[in-house]
Amino acid sequence: MITASNIYLQYGGRVLFDHINLVISDRDKVGLVGRNGAGKSTFLKIIAGEVTPDEGSVTRPSSSTLGFLHQEMNIPSGKTVMEETLTAFDELRRLETRLAEMHQELEQRTDYESDSYFKFLEEYSHLNDQFHLLGGDDMQAQAERVLKGLGFKQADFNRQTTEFSGGWQMRVELAKMLLQRPNYLLLDEPTNHLDIESIIWLEGFLEDYPGAVITISHDKQFLDNVTKRTVEIELGKVFEYKAAYSQYVELRRDRREKQLAAFTNQQKLIAQKERTINRFMAKATKTSMAQSMQKQLDKIERIEIEDEDTAGMNLRFPPAPRSGQVVVEGHRVSKSYGPKPVLQDVHIKLDRGDRIAFVGQNGQGKTTLAKMIVGQIPLSGGELKLGHNVSIGYYAQNQADVLDPKMTLLETMEAASPPEMRTRLRNILGSFLFSGEDVDKKVSVLSGGERARLALACMLLRPFNLLVLDEPTNHLDIISKDILKQALSDFDGTMIVVSHDREFLAGLTNRTIEFRDHQLFDHIGDVNAFLEKRALDNMRAVEMSSKNGKTTPTLPHAPQAPEKKEISREERKRLQRNLQNAERAVERLEAEIKQMEVEMADPAFYEQAKAAHILELHGQKKKALDAAMEAWEAAQMEMEEAEA
């Protein structure tokens, strides 16, 4: 159990946490929610011990383990993906080495009757059980299963981690953390660098996770599928709900409505009592009664309306100028980076009013095609052209990160603005929650969410009829995402959205283009229709395979059965010797325990001075027998497997 008690933290004149308390139980699945800048990431860092609060403390069992995936992790270099992932098992590997050493020592020892031998057997049995319990038998298979679940292919396992982008390197860190299975798993925006397939896999993994999970996410569907409890951080306080995100939203609304109703009723009651007191005070005969009523009124515990952060940006895209019927048309479009093909001879056509989602695993070419459409990178082959009178609004995946950190917000807007918009820049910034002195802040001091809002504000300074958005929700909180989705729903132009956020895409688009194996696959409907169709296609493929008499293909997550090998004569002798030694140890302990129990059956036994010592020794022998039996069973199983 993690207990955060009386946490107080202040930055400058701003109180981030005002003496808050929180308890995380051993199997809790908690979603940590709140506006950008509310302190969610900081709170996780306090739990992990990376930030020390001004007041208060965090406690957890000393024997417990904790894993923390956050946005500023240092990824080690110099190893392949598989080598780096297997470092998650460093402790298991040390255990494996120790067991091998003990195995060797066990072969050489002959002091079968000594206490040290039985202690040695007991330690060996305990370590062996621990090794198997922690999955020491299939470390490689576990690593492969998790890496494939997070989107890596078999061919990626032997590539250096430095060959991958930061997002893929973050997946390696996440894989290591999942394989270590800490008691408490802290995840700060784990879905930011994952595609839809990997997110769905991660949801299934976390749903069955045996420890506690505390996650920050702006993906509502991910929170609904993973968490069972929601903790909201707002204006320095925490509010807890025993519900996943969608139900939390309803419960929060109900709580505030009831609170407001109770406050209103109490205010009416107080006003009524105050009027009565004032009337009584005017009459000398009722002054004492009025004073008594005033004392009662003073004792009433006043209901207060909790502060609420309801600020939201005012986002509305300008009316789209009319374009030609065909907005984008591409024939035999190809793109390669050196020898590596990304897209091969693909065709694409967008008509005016199309609203398209680009989906697929990372690295399949979604961002590449978006950049070719907006003219940022050249084609390797084929033809791609824009239609008549097409003007583009483009939000890049790293749009918020390419802003000049040395410029102020106002200077950034001025650099992106046409002359006729200059007089409106302060008002536009105000509608994106940058008011007063905020406009003179440097971009370098902004949070990720604030930079994303500024980048959106810059995009609205010119009219366009083709809007291309590449992962626009990565740094936006849930309220800002809802506002953006509504603005996009109202946009009257043509739209391409690259996103892995299923809830954000749901109902927003009418076509879904899947990127797979260097090709494009066009589907009618939004992302949910696409996912349902793909699941049905997968089921049909398995059914057809079975009907044709073909074997069902091995699932990528299933470890392959090891090849059977014939054991050597020396190995067989070693196994027989281990089994015989274990059998002798069991027989000896059983004989000693039986002899003790014969003595203990005599009523006169308990009158002897040595009775207490023998009783204690009897208990120790029973424990030693249990350990010896486990060692015998392990030796017997090992022998049977070898003979098979």
Side-chain angles (χ1 to χ4, degrees), residues 560-576:
Q560 301 297 316
E563 230 178 282
K564 290 186 178 179
K565 297 180 181 177
E566 192 163 336
I567 63 171
S568 65
R569 182 180 298 176
E570 290 74 22
E571 177 68 1
R572 185 179 297 277
K573 284 183 178 179
R574 184 187 69 79
L575 293 173
Q576 287 174 339

Side-chain angles (χ1 to χ4, degrees), residues 224-363:
D224 278 343
N225 291 340
V226 170
T227 66
K228 300 288 186 291
R229 180 180 165 202
T230 301
V231 174
E232 178 190 28
I233 299 180
E234 185 177 34
L235 300 175
K237 299 184 182 300
V238 294
F239 303 94
E240 295 185 55
Y241 299 83
K242 292 182 179 178
Y245 183 81
S246 294
Q247 191 181 355
Y248 139 76
V249 173
E250 297 175 8
L251 292 173
R252 182 180 188 273
R253 187 186 306 115
D254 290 345
R255 178 178 65 83
R256 294 195 68 85
E257 286 175 356
K258 289 175 182 175
Q259 188 181 63
L260 181 59
F263 174 80
T264 303
N265 290 335
Q266 189 182 64
Q267 290 301 306
K268 288 180 181 177
L269 178 65
I270 290 171
Q272 181 183 352
K273 286 183 176 294
E274 286 177 341
R275 284 195 298 271
T276 303
I277 290 168
N278 290 335
R279 285 202 311 272
F280 283 9
M281 288 293 285
K283 298 180 180 179
T285 57
K286 294 190 175 182
T287 301
S288 60
M289 188 182 295
Q291 290 172 341
S292 177
M293 290 179 66
Q294 184 64 55
K295 287 179 182 178
Q296 290 177 346
L297 186 59
D298 292 340
K299 290 179 182 178
I300 291 178
E301 186 175 343
R302 304 295 175 106
I303 297 172
E304 295 182 359
I305 299 293
E306 294 160 356
D307 292 333
E308 183 179 17
D309 187 354
T310 57
M313 58 183 178
N314 182 15
L315 173 57
R316 185 171 182 176
F317 292 100
R322 187 173 178 82
S323 68
Q325 178 58 32
V326 177
V327 177
V328 176
E329 192 165 17
H331 299 282
R332 301 184 66 83
V333 174
S334 296
K335 181 63 182 177
S336 299
Y337 292 103
K340 182 184 177 184
V342 179
L343 297 169
Q344 291 181 326
D345 294 331
V346 303
H347 299 270
I348 185 170
K349 182 184 177 186
L350 273 68
D351 290 326
R352 184 176 63 238
D354 274 346
R355 308 170 71 81
I356 296 178
F358 282 2
V359 301
Q361 290 188 331
N362 290 351

Side-chain angles (χ1 to χ4, degrees), residues 46-86:
I46 289 175
I47 291 176
E50 295 186 6
V51 170
T52 304
D54 298 329
E55 297 178 27
S57 63
V58 174
T59 59
R60 65 180 173 90
S62 57
S63 59
S64 65
T65 53
L66 184 145
F68 182 20
L69 181 82
H70 51 88
Q71 302 300 312
E72 305 90 25
M73 300 194 73
N74 294 319
I75 313 294
S77 59
K79 293 180 181 177
T80 66
V81 168
M82 180 56 74
E83 287 170 345
E84 183 60 37
T85 304
L86 286 174

Side-chain angles (χ1 to χ4, degrees), residues 516-642:
R516 175 165 40 91
D517 300 327
H518 318 304
Q519 296 297 313
L520 307 184
F521 300 87
D522 207 334
H523 305 268
I524 301 300
D526 71 353
V527 68
N528 287 335
F530 157 69
L531 290 173
E532 289 171 9
K533 180 180 181 298
R534 192 186 61 180
L536 187 62
D537 289 346
N538 288 345
M539 288 176 64
R540 284 175 179 162
V542 173
E543 287 172 3
M544 290 298 294
S545 165
S546 302
K547 286 176 183 176
N548 294 336
K550 298 176 184 176
T551 56
T552 304
T554 304
L555 293 174
H557 301 338
Q560 301 297 316
E563 230 178 282
K564 290 186 178 179
K565 297 180 181 177
E566 192 163 336
I567 63 171
S568 65
R569 182 180 298 176
E570 290 74 22
E571 177 68 1
R572 185 179 297 277
K573 284 183 178 179
R574 184 187 69 79
L575 293 173
Q576 287 174 339
R577 189 163 58 249
N578 284 351
L579 183 58
Q580 289 170 358
N581 290 342
E583 285 175 345
R584 289 195 197 104
V586 169
E587 289 169 358
R588 183 182 66 79
L589 282 166
E590 285 179 336
E592 290 176 358
I593 290 171
K594 186 175 181 180
Q595 180 60 39
M596 286 183 180
E597 288 174 349
V598 169
E599 289 183 43
M600 291 160 61
D602 184 355
F605 165 80
Y606 297 94
E607 298 174 3
Q608 300 177 44
K610 63 178 182 178
H613 173 70
I614 293 176
L615 285 170
E616 184 180 355
L617 189 60
H618 177 264
Q620 292 174 355
K621 295 285 185 183
K622 291 278 283 185
K623 288 181 181 178
L625 177 61
D626 291 340
M629 285 293 291
E630 288 177 5
W632 176 80
E633 287 172 2
Q636 181 71 32
M637 189 178 298
E638 195 175 8
M639 188 68 183
E640 289 172 357
E641 288 174 355

Side-chain angles (χ1 to χ4, degrees), residues 480-518:
S480 298
K481 273 173 50 179
D482 289 343
I483 293 170
L484 174 60
K485 182 173 180 177
Q486 184 58 53
L488 290 174
S489 299
D490 296 337
F491 176 61
D492 58 353
T494 306
M495 182 171 66
I496 297 172
V497 184
V498 182
S499 179
H500 58 261
D501 190 321
R502 292 155 294 168
E503 192 278 333
F504 180 76
L505 289 176
L508 186 61
T509 59
N510 52 25
R511 280 173 64 190
T512 301
I513 295 181
E514 179 190 11
F515 288 63
R516 175 165 40 91
D517 300 327
H518 318 304

Side-chain angles (χ1 to χ4, degrees), residues 4-9 19-21 46 52-58:
S5 305
N6 203 35
I7 302 297
Y8 181 87
L9 183 64
H19 300 99
I20 63 176
N21 299 284
I46 289 175
T52 304
D54 298 329
E55 297 178 27
S57 63
V58 174

